[in-house]
Amino acid sequence: MTVLRVFNNNVVLARDASGDEVILTGRGLGFQAKAGSPVDPSKVIRVFVPSDGRDPDHLAQLLAGVPPEMIQLVSRTLPELDDAEQVSHSATLVIALADHLNFATHRAARGLTVEYPLRAEVSHLYPDELRQARALLSAVNQHLEQPLPDSEEVALALHLVNAGMASGDLTFTYRMTGVIHQLVSVIEAEYGLDLGHDSVSVGRFITHLRYLFVRVSQHQQLVSESSPISDAIRSTYPDATIVAERLAGIIELRLGDELTADEVSYLALHVARIAEGR
C-alpha cells in the first residue's frame, strides 16, 4: 500500500493493491511518512474501507480526532452485539460511534449531560437498536474512568439505525423518526388504539416505512401505475386505503415526493393488519 495523505501519527489515507482508497490506523503509522511512501504493514492495526460513496478524506479527518483506544474499543465491542452483524463491519459506523463516544467523554468530564429529545420515539420505534446501544454503552463504560450517563444510549441507537439505512448522516434519520412517530399516531387516533412496539404488525409497518423512506430518497419507488395486486388490496381494504392515503399525504409533505399508487396500497395493507391486530 502507498500513503496518499498523513492526518496524524496514527491515521493515514492510503491506496491499496486494488487501487482503492483506504484509511489505516496504527500507533506511529504516520510518523515521518510522506505522500507516495510505502506503508509499513507491521504498524497497521485497522483498515477502514469507506462505503456507500463516503468521502475518505472526511472520514479520515473524523478518525484523526479520536483516540486510537476508543476506536479499538468500539471495533472490538460492536461485533459482539446481538443481531448487529450486518452493520458491525461498517467503517462509517465505527468511526461515527467512536467520534460520538469520544465527544461524550469530554462532555462528561466537564459535568455536562445531554438529554436527547427523541428518547420516547426511539424506545417505541427502534427497540432492537436501543437494546444494542444499551449493551454497547455498558461495554464501553466498563473501560472508562468516568462512565457515561444512560441518556447516551439514545444517540448511539440512532447511529445504529442510521447505519442500517445506509444514510450519510443523522439528519435523514432524525426526520424519518419524526415522520414514523407521526404516522403511527395517526393510526392510533383513527382506530382508537394504543400501539406498542411489541406488536408484530406494528414492527412490520415500521420496517416497511424505513425502507420506503430509503426508496423515496433514492427515487426508487415501486411502479408508478397501479398493479393488479395493488387494486386487489384497495378493493379488499377500502377503509385502510383511506387511512393510507392520509399517511401518504403526510409523507409527501415531509419528504417532498409523491408516493406511487403501489406504495400507497402497500401502506394500506399494513394499516389493515394493524387494525385487525395481525
Side-chain angles (χ1 to χ4, degrees):
M1 289 185 283
T2 304
V3 173
L4 297 178
R5 181 179 177 186
V6 177
F7 287 86
N8 61 24
N9 283 345
N10 306 315
V11 180
V12 303
L13 182 68
R15 190 178 305 282
D16 64 14
S18 301
D20 296 323
E21 292 187 356
V22 295
I23 304 166
L24 309 177
T25 65
R27 287 210 172 275
L29 184 63
F31 180 67
Q32 293 186 338
K34 298 179 180 180
S37 63
V39 173
D40 182 350
S42 66
K43 295 181 178 180
V44 177
I45 300 298
R46 178 76 191 261
V47 178
F48 291 96
V49 182
S51 59
D52 303 318
R54 304 306 201 275
D55 178 22
D57 281 86
H58 174 67
L59 290 178
Q61 286 173 345
L62 278 178
L63 195 57
V66 180
E69 294 80 7
M70 186 63 75
I71 294 291
Q72 293 173 14
L73 180 57
V74 173
S75 299
R76 184 171 63 248
T77 304
L78 194 58
E80 298 175 358
L81 302 182
D82 293 339
D83 305 322
E85 183 177 355
Q86 69 275 19
V87 296
S88 64
H89 300 296
S90 166
T92 305
L93 177 61
V94 171
I95 294 171
L97 289 173
D99 180 64
H100 177 89
L101 288 168
N102 182 54
F103 188 51
T105 59
H106 287 295
R107 287 201 309 267
R110 296 195 299 270
L112 301 176
T113 300
V114 175
E115 288 297 333
Y116 295 94
L118 293 177
R119 169 171 286 277
E121 289 84 349
V122 170
S123 178
H124 183 67
L125 300 176
Y126 313 126
D128 291 338
E129 286 86 351
L130 185 61
R131 175 176 51 80
Q132 293 168 356
R134 189 171 293 129
L136 175 63
L137 182 62
S138 176
V140 168
N141 276 339
Q142 293 178 22
H143 298 272
L144 298 179
E145 292 184 6
Q146 183 173 355
L148 298 174
D150 292 344
S151 58
E152 292 297 337
E153 67 189 27
V154 176
L156 297 180
L158 285 171
H159 278 293
L160 290 170
V161 173
N162 190 55
M165 293 294 99
S167 176
D169 57 45
L170 284 178
T171 303
F172 178 81
T173 303
Y174 275 111
R175 185 189 307 152
M176 180 181 71
T177 300
V179 176
I180 291 176
H181 186 258
Q182 183 178 2
L183 300 181
V184 172
S185 297
V186 168
I187 296 175
E188 287 180 325
E190 182 67 28
Y191 292 101
L193 301 173
D194 184 10
L195 300 174
H197 62 70
D198 54 345
S199 165
V200 174
S201 56
V202 173
R204 287 198 199 102
F205 179 58
I206 292 172
T207 299
H208 175 79
L209 288 174
R210 288 167 67 172
Y211 286 100
L212 166 61
F213 293 164
V214 171
R215 291 197 298 276
V216 170
S217 69
Q218 296 177 347
H219 307 292
Q220 295 178 350
Q221 291 190 54
L222 301 178
V223 294
S224 57
E225 295 183 1
S226 184
S227 65
I229 294 178
S230 174
D231 294 337
I233 293 173
R234 290 171 178 265
S235 176
T236 305
Y237 304 109
D239 293 338
T241 298
I242 293 174
V243 176
E245 288 173 345
R246 288 182 56 197
L247 301 182
I250 294 172
I251 294 171
E252 290 163 11
L253 284 173
R254 297 293 298 274
L255 301 186
D257 278 317
E258 182 178 355
L259 296 189
T260 65
D262 268 13
E263 294 287 9
V264 176
S265 295
Y266 281 105
L267 281 178
L269 182 59
H270 282 282
V271 170
R273 285 177 170 174
I274 292 173
E276 295 173 359
R278 295 193 286 116

